[in-house]
Amino acid sequence: MSKPSRLEDIPFAETLAEDPEAPPLGDLFSRDRGLRLKASIHWIRHTKDGLLNTVFHHILKLCPAQAVSNFGNALVPLMRWSYRNKVFPRRIRENFSALTQGRWPEGDVTREKEALGRWWGNISRTISEFSIVNSLWSSSRVEVEGIEHLEAARRTGCPIVFTSMHLATWEALFVAIHEGLAGPSIGPFQPEPNRFKNRIVHAIRKERNQYLFPPGQRSAYRLRRLMSGGRYSMTIFIDEVRDKQVHLPCFGRKLPQKGNAVVAVKIANSSGATLVPTYLTRIGPARFKLVILPPMERPEGDGPYPVQPTLQALNDVFEPIVLEHIEEWYMLGELRLPKTFAKSAWVRSLAVRNEQARRG
C-alpha cells in the first residue's frame, strides 16, 4: 500500500489532540494534596471552563465581529481579577517591564501600566475572536502587506513554509494563508492543557477543512510526506513552548537546538521549500494586517538551509518585530527569563535603543 501524501488519504480525526490521561475520579478525595489538585483541575476546573467556553463560543459565533472583539475587551477587569493570586500575571508584568526598558521616560510608571493593560486587552480580544476567526478573511477583515514577497517565493516553483509568531489573533494567519494566499496550508500546532478547548479549536479547523497536526512522530511523518509532494504550503509558529520555555525570540539567550524552528528548516530542506517569514498585527477590533516578509535566501543557491545560521536569521527577523508589537505577543506569559535578565548587557542595549528611538 502506498504511503499517503495527500490530505484526502488522511482521516481528519488525526488532527484532534489526544485527551490527557484522566486521573482517577476518586483522587478528588485523596489525602495526597498533589493527587487531589491534579484531579480537581481535570474533573472540576477544566470541565467548568470547558462548559463556559463552549457556550460562549457558540453564542459569539452568531455575533458581529466587532461586537465579539469588544466583548472580549470588556472582560479584561474580570480576567485580571480572577488571576490576581496566580503566578503567571507577575511573570507577565516582569517580562513586559524587562522587554520595554527605555521605551518610557524613567519613572513614568503610568505609561507602562497602560501599555500592559493593552496587552491584557489584546489577549482577551483574541480569545473572543476565536469564535469568529473563520470569517475574518472572507469578510475582508485581514489586509495584506508584502504580497510581492509571496509572488517572489512562488516564482521559484518550490513549496512554501511560512514561519511566524503568536501575535494578535494568530489563528487568523492560519485562515488567511489557507483560504486566500497559499492554500491548502498544513502545519503543526500546540494543544491546550484543557481537552474541551482542544475540541473547540478542532471544530473550528474542521469547518474550514485545514489539517493542523498535534505533536508526535506520526504528525512529523505526515508533514514531511505531505510537503514532499509539493501540493501544500506549511504554516508553523516558531515561538512555541517547549520544556516550559519559549526559546525564540532569543532575547540575548542561546539559539535553540530543537523545536519548531528547527523543524521548519529541516522540512524546507527535505521538500525543497522556501522559508517565508510572516506575521499578523492588530489594527482594530477584529481587524488585522498580515505582513509577508522577503523569502529567506539559501546561502548557496539551491543548497540546503544551514540550520543554526538560518535560526539566527529567523531570530534577527522576528525579535525586533515581537519587541515592537510586545503588546500583542501571546507568549509573554510562557517566557521564563533568567533572574539576572533585567541587568544583562542585552537589556542595557535594548534600553539605549528604545531611548534613542523615543527621543527621535
Side-chain angles (χ1 to χ4, degrees):
M1 183 181 294
S2 61
K3 297 177 180 178
S5 59
R6 302 184 310 163
L7 292 177
E8 300 92 309
D9 301 319
I10 301 173
F12 196 84
E14 283 192 20
T15 65
L16 176 61
E18 291 186 8
D19 286 352
E21 184 177 353
L25 192 60
D27 282 357
L28 286 170
F29 310 100
S30 172
R31 293 183 178 180
D32 186 306
R33 184 176 181 277
L35 293 177
R36 195 167 63 248
L37 178 61
K38 185 177 180 181
S40 176
I41 290 172
H42 182 90
W43 292 111
I44 299 177
R45 186 190 304 173
H46 282 184
T47 302
K48 171 180 66 67
D49 291 349
L51 177 61
L52 288 173
N53 287 332
T54 301
V55 170
F56 275 110
H57 169 72
H58 287 289
I59 293 173
L60 292 175
K61 191 176 179 181
L62 303 174
C63 299
Q66 183 164 330
V68 170
S69 183
N70 289 338
F71 172 79
N73 190 55
L75 293 179
V76 170
L78 177 61
M79 177 188 290
R80 298 187 73 171
W81 180 84
S82 67
Y83 293 144
R84 66 194 183 284
N85 296 323
K86 302 293 184 181
V87 173
F88 73 89
R90 184 183 65 198
R91 185 190 310 133
I92 290 166
R93 183 176 66 251
E94 291 173 353
N95 287 345
F96 189 87
S97 180
L99 295 174
T100 57
Q101 287 294 302
R103 185 174 290 190
W104 338 107
E106 188 173 353
D108 192 343
V109 179
T110 300
R111 289 180 62 183
E112 183 175 329
K113 285 184 176 180
E114 289 173 349
L116 181 58
R118 290 192 293 273
W119 183 89
W120 283 98
N122 174 75
I123 295 304
S124 194
R125 286 182 186 275
T126 292
I127 293 170
S128 288
E129 288 163 354
F130 258 78
S131 300
I132 44 91
V133 71
N134 282 347
S135 67
L136 293 175
W137 176 259
S138 60
S139 59
S140 301
R141 302 188 75 88
V142 181
E143 63 182 57
V144 180
E145 177 182 302
I147 195 71
E148 69 275 10
H149 301 311
L150 177 57
E151 294 301 329
R154 281 179 174 151
R155 284 195 294 271
T156 67
C158 301
I160 298 174
V161 172
F162 295 95
T163 58
S164 195
M165 297 272 131
H166 287 86
L167 289 165
T169 301
W170 68 89
E171 186 80 11
L173 187 140
F174 275 135
V175 176
I177 291 173
H178 178 66
E179 296 197 338
L181 298 174
S185 190
I186 59 176
F189 80 97
Q190 190 167 38
E192 293 281 345
N194 189 314
R195 60 199 184 279
F196 298 101
K197 290 183 181 179
N198 287 328
R199 293 169 193 171
I200 292 172
V201 171
H202 180 258
I204 290 171
R205 293 167 179 171
K206 186 175 183 180
E207 186 177 285
R208 65 177 187 260
N209 195 36
Q210 184 170 21
Y211 283 69
L212 300 173
F213 296 91
Q217 290 185 345
R218 181 172 65 178
S219 294
Y221 168 79
R222 294 293 199 211
L223 289 170
R224 285 196 300 270
R225 284 285 299 167
L226 289 164
M227 286 302 294
S228 295
R231 300 176 180 215
Y232 313 105
S233 70
M234 187 171 93
T235 307
I236 181 168
F237 288 81
I238 61 174
D239 58 344
E240 83 287 359
V241 179
R242 180 173 45 79
D243 300 329
K244 296 184 178 181
Q245 180 61 286
V246 177
H247 299 268
L248 278 176
C250 292
F251 303 129
R253 301 168 297 164
K254 293 181 180 179
L255 287 168
Q257 300 296 314
K258 54 185 178 179
N260 278 7
V262 174
V263 169
V265 174
K266 289 185 175 181
I267 288 183
N269 286 338
S270 65
S271 64
T274 301
L275 290 168
V276 178
T278 185
Y279 66 97
L280 198 73
T281 62
R282 181 181 297 281
I283 57 176
R287 288 195 177 276
F288 307 93
K289 178 168 68 174
L290 190 157
V291 181
I292 304 170
L293 298 170
M296 306 292 290
E297 294 186 4
R298 297 175 184 268
E300 300 178 3
D302 294 333
Y305 288 106
V307 176
Q308 288 297 301
T310 304
L311 262 59
Q312 183 63 60
L314 287 168
N315 184 71
D316 292 345
V317 167
F318 283 118
E319 186 174 275
I321 290 169
V322 168
L323 289 172
E324 181 182 357
H325 299 283
I326 195 71
E327 296 172 13
E328 301 176 42
W329 191 43
Y330 181 77
M331 308 309 285
L332 194 66
E334 302 291 346
L335 180 67
R336 290 163 173 82
L337 295 169
K339 292 182 179 179
T340 58
F341 181 78
K343 298 181 180 179
S344 66
W346 187 91
V347 170
R348 290 197 298 272
S349 175
L350 172 67
V352 170
R353 296 196 305 272
N354 281 341
E355 186 172 357
Q356 289 173 342
R358 175 167 51 84
R359 293 182 175 180

